[in-house]
Amino acid sequence: MENEESARYLSTGKLSKILNISVRTIRYYDQIGLVQPSKKSAGGKRYYSKEDILKLQKVLLLKSLNLSLEDSRNILAEQSMAAILLAHQSLLSEEVEHLTISLKHTQTLLNLLGLKATLDWEDLISLVANAEIEKDWNQYFSAEQQVKLTNRLPKLENGDAATRKWINIIRRIELCLKNGVTPTSLEGQLILEDVDILTEETFGNDPELLNTFWEVRKSPEASAELGLYPISPAIIDYLEMAPPKKKSLPTDSRKGF
């Protein structure tokens, strides 16, 4: 009898090894009536059929979706593969969203390290807090301008070339300030020329938007209100010595920047 059962069914021990779950878990599912063996020997040994094994695999899948055993029972009772897949899809979507946010925060911190060389807890706390606060851009920019800024402004949450270029600009100006290199020097003029190029890439042929943004950028209060990365007054003053079209520094933090 046991040889016949072993050929057609799997014992609890063998099933445990094949599915890589504990015997205790299999017995618990049996006790609560979630997945019960099709056959039991006179000695009480349990044997699971192919249908039983498939049902157990479904339970394990639902468990991986963080569904409760009761929810799993209900889904299995419906015999709805669509319900299982929809539940799986929903969880995956949540995981993708969480991972996307984590990736943006991580990239933001990496960019902050590029700007400041060190990080402190204030950076981390500010990063999380800013992500939760809605920014009111309507008082400064029209709807059309906001669309342009959303599409064009580099963000600390991005690791793209435009963002890295602006980070390097800030670092280079900081070095000039540290070493006493003025905006009128050759090195200062080259930096401002790079600012001019990046400004054109960012704002294009829209001097009104550039001037409006620059006025906001010069205000620590307005910049903080919009979640823009804080630029030191010394850097602002450095850029103020440049021709008007070179004044931008569009470091956007509405989504973590």
Side-chain angles (χ1 to χ4, degrees):
M1 171 67 178
E2 185 170 338
N3 290 335
E4 179 183 350
E5 299 298 340
S6 298
R8 296 176 54 192
Y9 300 90
L10 290 179
S11 67
T12 303
K14 290 183 178 179
L15 184 58
S16 170
K17 292 179 180 178
I18 291 175
L19 297 183
N20 194 30
I21 59 175
S22 68
V23 171
R24 182 179 179 181
T25 297
I26 297 175
R27 289 177 177 171
Y28 176 68
Y29 291 165
D30 179 15
Q31 291 172 3
I32 64 175
L34 187 59
V35 181
Q36 296 179 310
S38 295
K39 293 183 180 294
K40 292 184 180 180
S41 68
K45 193 169 186 178
R46 297 166 173 79
Y47 291 95
Y48 291 82
S49 67
K50 290 183 179 179
E51 290 75 15
D52 300 332
I53 296 169
L54 177 59
K55 188 175 183 180
L56 180 56
Q57 288 175 318
K58 289 180 180 179
V59 170
L60 295 175
L61 170 61
L62 295 173
K63 182 181 179 182
S64 72
L65 305 181
N66 293 326
L67 292 173
S68 68
L69 293 180
E70 191 58 35
D71 287 339
S72 299
R73 189 195 304 275
N74 292 335
I75 290 177
L76 291 174
E78 293 176 6
Q79 294 295 314
S80 174
M81 181 57 68
I84 295 175
L85 293 177
L86 285 172
H88 185 56
Q89 183 186 56
S90 177
L91 180 69
L92 289 177
S93 295
E94 290 182 10
E95 291 179 348
V96 168
E97 182 179 355
H98 292 157
L99 286 173
T100 299
I101 292 173
S102 295
L103 282 171
K104 289 181 178 180
H105 285 183
T106 300
Q107 184 60 59
T108 298
L109 293 177
L110 286 171
N111 284 333
L112 285 174
L113 274 173
L115 282 165
K116 302 175 64 174
T118 59
L119 286 179
D120 50 36
W121 280 104
E122 283 72 17
D123 292 319
L124 298 173
I125 295 172
S126 176
L127 171 65
V128 175
N130 278 334
E132 302 297 328
I133 299 175
E134 288 291 333
K135 313 300 188 305
D136 183 15
W137 288 62
N138 294 318
Q139 59 180 313
Y140 298 105
F141 304 99
S142 67
E144 182 181 354
Q145 288 177 326
Q146 290 181 56
V147 171
K148 290 182 179 180
L149 291 173
T150 299
N151 294 330
R152 297 178 183 179
L153 288 184
K155 301 175 179 64
L156 279 179
E157 66 185 23
N158 295 336
D160 56 6
T163 301
R164 295 197 302 271
K165 288 176 182 178
W166 281 114
I167 288 174
N168 286 341
I169 287 291
I170 294 174
R171 292 293 302 276
R172 289 165 64 191
I173 294 176
E174 288 175 340
L175 287 174
C176 285
L177 292 170
K178 180 179 179 180
N179 297 324
V181 178
T182 66
T184 57
S185 67
L186 177 59
E187 184 176 353
Q189 287 297 303
L190 289 174
I191 291 175
L192 294 176
E193 181 64 28
D194 286 342
V195 171
D196 185 20
I197 294 171
L198 287 176
T199 297
E200 290 182 2
E201 291 178 0
T202 303
F203 292 95
N205 187 25
D206 195 339
E208 180 182 355
L209 177 58
L210 171 58
N211 291 333
T212 302
F213 187 84
W214 180 242
E215 289 303 314
V216 170
R217 214 63 184 92
K218 289 192 296 182
S219 168
E221 295 76 18
S223 293
E225 185 179 346
L226 297 182
L228 298 171
Y229 176 78
I231 302 298
S232 71
I235 293 179
I236 297 293
D237 291 342
Y238 199 95
L239 288 168
E240 279 283 82
M241 300 181 190
K245 69 176 181 178
K246 300 182 187 212
K247 304 169 184 176
S248 60
L249 238 60
T251 45
D252 177 14
S253 62
R254 284 172 294 170
K255 297 181 180 179
F257 194 137

